[in-house]
Amino acid sequence: MSSEISHPVVRRPIPEVDELSREFWEGAANGLLVIQRCTACSRFHHPPRSLCTDCGETKQTYVPVSGEARLWSWTVTHHKIVAGLIDVIPYICLTVELVEQPRLFLMSDFIGDDVPLEQFKVGCAMRVIFEPVSEGGIVLPQFRPAPVVTAS
Amino acid sequence: MPLGQFARQAMEAACADCGIEVSDIDGLATYATAPNIGARNQNGVDIINVDFFLSDPRFKNVTWYAQPGLGLIASAVRDAAHALISGSCNYALIWRAMYTPPGTYGLYESQTAIGDAQFTAPYGCVSVIQWHAFGYRRYLELYGSSREEMAALVVNSRNNANRNEHAYFADRPLTEEEYLAARMISDPLCLFDCDVPVTSCAALVMTTSERAGHLRQPPAYLAAIGQQTVPRRDSIHYLLDDHIESGQPLAADLWRQAGLGPSDMAAAELYDGFSPSVYYWLEAAGFCARGEAHAFATKERIGLEGTLPVNTFGGSLSQGRLHGMGHIAEAALQVSGRAGQRQVSDAGAVCVFDGSPMYRGGGLVLTRGS
């Protein structure tokens, strides 16, 4: 047994990139938030789909979005839900609505980051940042309150 | 006790209660889906499906069965109603069996995330309780509610369970202080905002009005039954769909079928897998306006002596998680005047709403007279 102080282990489940999601993760790895969009009716879809759930069009494309969003809601998770994250309980999960389209949600979290709880209000402005999480090159889009307040 | 034994006991008790032989049952219907991710789906062990009773030699007269995979137990009740009306069977047994494994269950153990989970699991957010917490946090902020208000609802359910011998918490009261001090599961949802995971089975017998008149107990009549059919946009967390949009069409369908409305209900049995769903149904069904359920659901209003008693048996929060079957059984007991210490007065009609309401569910209205 090691007598050293143990550090919390963060083992996020790593996305298994597939045909539909490849461009999303490639974009994130390049610091770009891209979302699948229907070529016929221009509706955004997330998670990506093989056909448009609005108009039925099969041709979908990825387009860059602004990265601007509104905080839809958030929760502090105390329960053991993901095995690889038990060490970092409690942690904050949030969901944001992209400004491009109502109910276009992306998730985010504050695992291993400072939590500006006082800035968390439903509807507050959020902005994307990118967080590398694996040696395999996966980069997670994350959302932080915007504008970022810096200490002077 | 194994789940199969619970199921047999419930079935035999239901038959004995209405005074028929097990062999009189000629229709079988259930919603058998296991509630927990990772269920083994072993018949008689963690699920009880139609084959379980078909394998029992006493069920030699079965001519009809149904096992819907969508729409919760209300779908099985609806199928049975159609089968009885069409003459496919005369006495249908409806049951819902639930198994909860010991210890922690449902933990996401994979180190990879595939399909839609690749957009949720890396953020540690894969559970319906977290998605419900999102919705509830938003509700609290948008409508200026508080956990103190929710305490009234949760404590009321516990009080009702204390008058229900079948409730998990039959003998254990809960105070507002205990509720507010309970450990958080996914803030703002605490332990007592979650239904009680139990291993249990409830069963009931359905038949035609004519046959029901000759049975041992006064019947409950099915005045309306419907399913939640609202289209759902793809989303990483479907439970964030608008609760009014999801629940209102079902409620409108039930009120139209029954020729009754919210003000005609002597009680409301509202799905409470997580406590905020009760607020959502109160608003979607029209018992109060949008954003007002938190103020509506006071002890004076939703208690057994109130103008709209809610979850008179303790709900899933205090009786135990039966995914709506407990609510249906209670509605039947109330309209037939058999709810004992928790009987509400003038129980001419009682409604059940089953589901989140954002998850595919259903609802029904039971009445004392046909």
Side-chain angles (χ1 to χ4, degrees), chain A residues 12 54 73 75-76 91 95 141, chain B residues 122-124 134 186-187 233 237:
Chain A
R12 297 172 182 274
D54 282 82
S73 195
T75 179
V76 190
Y91 58 86
T95 179
Chain B
Y123 303 101
F134 283 154
S186 194
D187 190 337
R233 286 196 194 289
H237 38 48

Side-chain angles (χ1 to χ4, degrees), chain B residues 94-112:
Chain B
I94 320 297
W95 71 94
R96 177 62 167 131
M98 302 284 267
Y99 171 79
T100 300
T104 301
Y105 60 95
L107 188 67
Y108 187 100
E109 293 186 87
S110 173
Q111 263 312 295
T112 59

Side-chain angles (χ1 to χ4, degrees), chain B residues 89-243:
Chain B
C89 63
N90 295 327
Y91 296 98
L93 180 79
I94 320 297
W95 71 94
R96 177 62 167 131
M98 302 284 267
Y99 171 79
T100 300
T104 301
Y105 60 95
L107 188 67
Y108 187 100
E109 293 186 87
S110 173
Q111 263 312 295
T112 59
I114 62 171
D116 288 356
Q118 66 191 292
F119 305 105
T120 59
Y123 303 101
C125 195
V126 290
S127 167
V128 289
I129 188 174
Q130 294 166 302
W131 306 343
H132 269 279
F134 283 154
Y136 182 42
R137 166 86 62 199
R138 190 171 167 84
Y139 187 98
L140 289 173
E141 284 203 26
L142 289 183
Y143 302 120
S145 182
S146 65
R147 295 188 61 241
E148 282 73 14
E149 287 184 310
M150 186 60 86
L153 188 153
V154 174
V155 168
N156 178 63
S157 288
R158 183 62 67 88
N159 288 343
N160 295 345
N162 293 158
R163 300 174 179 212
N164 173 7
E165 60 175 340
H166 294 298
Y168 180 83
F169 285 125
D171 302 321
R172 289 165 65 183
L174 178 75
T175 65
E176 185 181 328
E177 292 69 32
E178 286 169 325
Y179 168 79
L180 291 172
R183 69 183 164 92
M184 281 293 168
I185 302 294
S186 194
D187 190 337
L189 293 175
C190 74
L191 183 66
F192 296 125
D193 292 310
C194 306
D195 58 4
V196 198
V198 293
T199 293
S200 182
C201 181
L204 54 87
V205 173
M206 285 175 68
T207 188
T208 57
S209 302
E210 190 195 354
R211 287 186 185 87
H214 302 295
L215 297 180
R216 182 177 293 163
Q217 301 289 357
Y221 291 93
L222 185 64
I225 185 151
Q227 293 171 313
Q228 196 262 40
T229 58
V230 175
R232 178 182 298 139
R233 286 196 194 289
D234 287 319
S235 169
I236 41 173
H237 38 48
Y238 63 79
L239 288 165
L240 297 185
D241 286 359
D242 182 279
H243 64 276

Side-chain angles (χ1 to χ4, degrees), chain B residues 24-46:
Chain B
D24 290 330
I25 297 290
D26 55 0
L28 298 169
T30 189
Y31 176 85
T33 309
N36 56 313
I37 294 164
R40 289 170 295 174
N41 291 312
Q42 282 181 285
N43 201 16
V45 178
D46 65 346

